[in-house]
């Protein structure tokens, strides 16, 4: 099933059955939006992946927020962090969950975790089960987290509606936490580049069909009103699908304004799509731009592009010409599909007529056969009667 149409460096996502078509970056453009290539002017000599530059200058503290609703995901999160332990120095660890029993279990697990042992401080906090991972981040822990220099936000991602949750979580962690050296380089980039506000994981291939507004555009439009920002239907959509990212708190501050504008967080269970939290997830990059910062991606295997092109794009600026071209391609595609359907319908009608004609012919042959069988039976009966009478006469004549 076709999920998107290519239009230059962008794609028109048409997967959602009810939502509008959505412009999203192509995988090739996403590669150019990787934070490691933002200031790189030429590829490496061997043409291989770019190695992030690191130095030994001290880094500002790192705040890490893990939201753990599903306890079975905690070992996966801690294992991914342990693999990058050398890049997570000067760490403050915050973990949120929704019950005291879970908090006790998490605390016991942390006793055997090298990451918790390395952290300067660790706090496990119980929060209401509303807002999923964004509620604790933007509401309950925000008074503390907003004072930090850099925040890594992770959570025990699961997808109850599909069977891709485990693979999705693994791929997001692989992008956001590749190795200690890269994490050190990323922290240095945030430290040295005050414009960088947000780094999101490149969307895994298995969720690309779901990169669209869905039923959330109008909700998102309402959420951005406190920021005096307008959403454009013909702008590019890019968001941290899965809800995990590296961020400077100042770049998330507008998002907290949007969050506070909600009168009430929706109760669980949430619908598959079309809730205020689905809309909130889709405006993370918009909030970053509204704060005056830039956002970049964290790709799994970034490679220096062979051609020149943009290394930043905006989710707030309309791409009217590209959107018109993409919708024209969609219209042409739909016309082609319509012509194919009409041709298929015509062939089906002809086949149906031929089958009906063949069925009538077969029925006529059956009727004729039945009539012939009746006639044969009648004739056979008549000959038998005449032979019997003849035999009786012959017998009488002999006697």
């Amino acid at each position: 099933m076709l999920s998107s149409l290519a239009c230059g460096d962008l794609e028109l996502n048409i997967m959602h059955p009810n939502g509008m078509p959505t412009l999203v970056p192509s995988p090739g453009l996403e590669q150019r939006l990787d934070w490691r290539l933002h200031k790189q002017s030429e590829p490496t000599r061997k043409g291989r992946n770019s190695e992030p530059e690191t130095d030994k200058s001290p880094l500002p503290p790192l705040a890490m927020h893990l939201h753990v609703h599903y306890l079975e995901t905690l070992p996966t999160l801690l294992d991914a962090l342990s693999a990058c332990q050398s890049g997570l120095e000067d760490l403050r660890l915050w973990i949120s969950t929704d019950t005291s029993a879970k908090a006790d279990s998490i605390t016991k697990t942390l006793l055997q975790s090298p990451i918790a042992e390395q952290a300067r401080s660790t706090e496990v906090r119980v929060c209401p089960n509303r807002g999923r991972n964004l509620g604790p981040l933007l509401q309950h822990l925000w008074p503390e987290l907003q004072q930090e220099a850099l925040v890594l936000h992770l959570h025990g991602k699961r997808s109850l509606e599909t069977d891709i949750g485990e693979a999705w979580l693994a791929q997001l962690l692989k992008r956001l936490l590749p190795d200690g050296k890269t994490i050190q380089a990323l922290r240095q980039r945030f430290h040295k580049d005050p414009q960088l506000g947000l780094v999101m994981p490149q969307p895994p291939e298995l969720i690309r069909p779901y990169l669209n507004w869905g039923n959330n555009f109008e909700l998102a439009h309402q959420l951005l009103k406190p920021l005096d920002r307008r959403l454009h239907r013909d702008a590019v959509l890019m968001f941290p699908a899965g809800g995990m990212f590296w961020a400077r708190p100042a770049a998330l501050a507008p998002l907290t304004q949007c969050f506070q504008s909600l009168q009430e967080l929706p109760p669980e269970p949430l619908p598959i799509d079309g809730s205020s939290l689905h809309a909130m997830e889709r405006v993370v990059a918009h909030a970053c731009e509204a704060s005056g910062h830039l956002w970049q991606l964290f790709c799994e295997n970034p490679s220096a592009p062979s051609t020149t092109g943009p290394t930043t794009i905006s989710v707030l600026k309309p791409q009217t010409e590209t959107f018109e071209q993409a919708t024209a391609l969609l219209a042409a595609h739909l016309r082609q599909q319509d012509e194919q359907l009409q041709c298929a319908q015509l062939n089906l009608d002809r086949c149906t007529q031929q089958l009906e004609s063949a069925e009538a012919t077969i029925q006529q042959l059956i009727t004729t056969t039945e009539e012939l069988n009746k006639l044969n039976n009648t004739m056979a009966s008549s000959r038998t009667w005449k032979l019997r009478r003849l035999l009786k006469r012959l017998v009488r004549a002999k006697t």
Side-chain angles (χ1 to χ4, degrees):
M1 182 178 179
L2 183 67
S3 62
S4 63
L5 290 171
C7 187
D9 277 336
L10 301 177
E11 295 179 347
L12 188 68
N13 186 295
I14 57 174
M15 186 64 179
H16 199 279
N18 302 316
M20 66 181 188
T22 306
L23 275 180
V24 297
S26 67
L29 176 55
E30 288 174 351
Q31 288 286 323
R32 291 207 296 268
L33 300 178
D34 187 278
W35 66 271
R36 286 159 286 192
L37 305 178
H38 181 43
K39 293 184 178 180
Q40 182 175 326
S41 59
E42 59 183 16
T44 57
R45 291 182 180 180
K46 297 182 179 180
R48 297 182 62 82
N49 295 347
S50 301
E51 290 289 337
E53 296 181 359
T54 58
D55 58 39
K56 296 182 179 181
S57 59
L59 295 172
L62 168 66
M64 185 187 305
H65 172 226
L66 310 182
H67 180 66
V68 182
H69 181 78
Y70 302 103
L71 289 177
E72 62 270 24
T73 63
L74 181 58
T76 301
L77 294 172
L78 294 177
D79 288 346
L81 292 168
S82 297
C84 301
Q85 192 169 352
S86 62
L88 300 175
E89 298 175 353
D90 202 1
L91 168 69
R92 294 187 180 97
L93 179 60
W94 303 81
I95 301 181
S96 58
T97 190
D98 63 321
T99 69
S100 298
K102 291 180 183 178
D104 291 340
S105 178
I106 291 169
T107 301
K108 292 178 182 178
T109 301
L110 292 178
L111 293 176
Q112 302 176 354
S113 169
I115 287 296
E117 183 179 353
Q118 174 179 309
R120 290 176 56 189
S121 64
T122 301
E123 181 174 339
V124 181
R125 188 175 296 185
V126 177
C127 304
N129 187 26
R130 289 205 178 192
R132 294 196 172 178
N133 58 300
L134 292 180
L137 172 68
L138 301 176
Q139 188 176 58
H140 304 291
L141 295 177
W142 186 247
E144 292 87 355
L145 294 177
Q146 68 177 334
Q147 302 176 33
E148 302 289 344
L150 180 63
V151 174
L152 168 61
H153 172 64
L154 306 173
H155 69 103
K157 174 67 182 173
R158 288 197 51 189
S159 181
L160 301 181
E161 299 85 12
T162 67
D163 58 356
I164 65 174
E166 186 175 345
W168 190 354
L169 175 60
Q171 293 190 34
L172 290 176
L173 292 176
K174 191 174 182 180
R175 283 162 170 75
L176 289 172
L177 296 164
D179 57 74
K181 184 178 179 181
T182 304
I183 297 307
Q184 286 181 351
L186 175 63
R187 294 176 64 183
Q188 288 166 1
R189 175 61 63 84
F190 269 104
H191 181 50
K192 295 178 179 179
D193 184 359
Q195 268 201 307
L196 181 60
L198 173 71
V199 172
M200 304 176 286
Q202 181 185 25
E205 191 63 31
L206 76 164
I207 65 158
R208 291 200 69 84
Y210 308 105
L211 301 178
N212 51 54
W213 279 111
N215 293 323
N216 304 290
F217 183 84
E218 294 301 333
L219 286 169
H221 182 71
Q222 294 298 319
L223 284 174
L224 288 187
K225 279 189 173 181
L227 308 183
D228 194 26
R229 299 286 178 163
R230 179 187 173 191
L231 279 185
H232 296 277
R233 296 179 183 272
D234 53 359
V236 173
L237 175 64
M238 192 69 213
F239 64 99
M244 304 185 210
F245 45 80
W246 292 82
R248 192 185 303 276
L252 294 180
L255 195 64
T256 64
Q257 291 181 251
C258 300
F259 203 83
Q260 292 167 3
S261 69
L262 296 174
Q263 294 182 352
E264 185 179 13
L265 294 175
E268 297 288 348
L270 293 182
I272 297 176
D273 189 35
S275 76
S276 55
L277 291 178
H278 291 99
M280 187 74 68
E281 181 184 40
R282 284 164 170 77
V283 296
V284 174
H286 299 74
C288 174
E289 288 190 26
S291 73
H293 293 86
L294 298 176
W295 57 266
Q296 300 272 216
L297 295 182
F298 212 147
C299 300
E300 183 177 350
N301 295 306
S303 56
S306 58
T307 58
T308 59
T311 57
T312 61
I313 57 174
S314 172
V315 292
L316 290 175
K317 296 179 181 178
Q319 301 274 351
T320 305
E321 183 177 349
T322 303
F323 188 76
E324 289 176 351
Q325 293 175 358
T327 51
L329 288 173
L330 175 59
H333 175 75
L334 293 176
R335 283 195 298 270
Q336 183 181 15
Q337 278 196 329
D338 185 59
E339 291 172 358
Q340 292 174 348
L341 287 174
Q342 290 181 7
C343 182
Q345 185 62 49
L346 181 61
N347 291 333
L348 179 61
D349 291 341
R350 289 175 179 172
C351 290
T352 301
Q353 291 176 357
Q354 292 173 355
L355 287 172
E356 290 175 350
S357 177
E359 185 178 2
T361 302
I362 291 172
Q363 189 61 43
Q364 185 177 4
L365 289 173
I366 291 173
T367 302
T368 302
T369 301
E370 290 175 349
E371 291 176 354
L372 288 174
N373 287 336
K374 289 180 181 180
L375 180 60
N376 287 334
N377 292 336
T378 301
M379 292 176 63
S381 299
S382 176
R383 287 195 295 270
T384 301
W385 180 78
K386 289 179 180 180
L387 286 172
R388 286 177 179 173
R389 290 194 61 184
L390 180 59
L391 287 172
K392 286 182 179 180
R393 289 178 182 176
L394 290 174
V395 170
R396 289 175 184 174
K398 288 181 179 180
T399 58

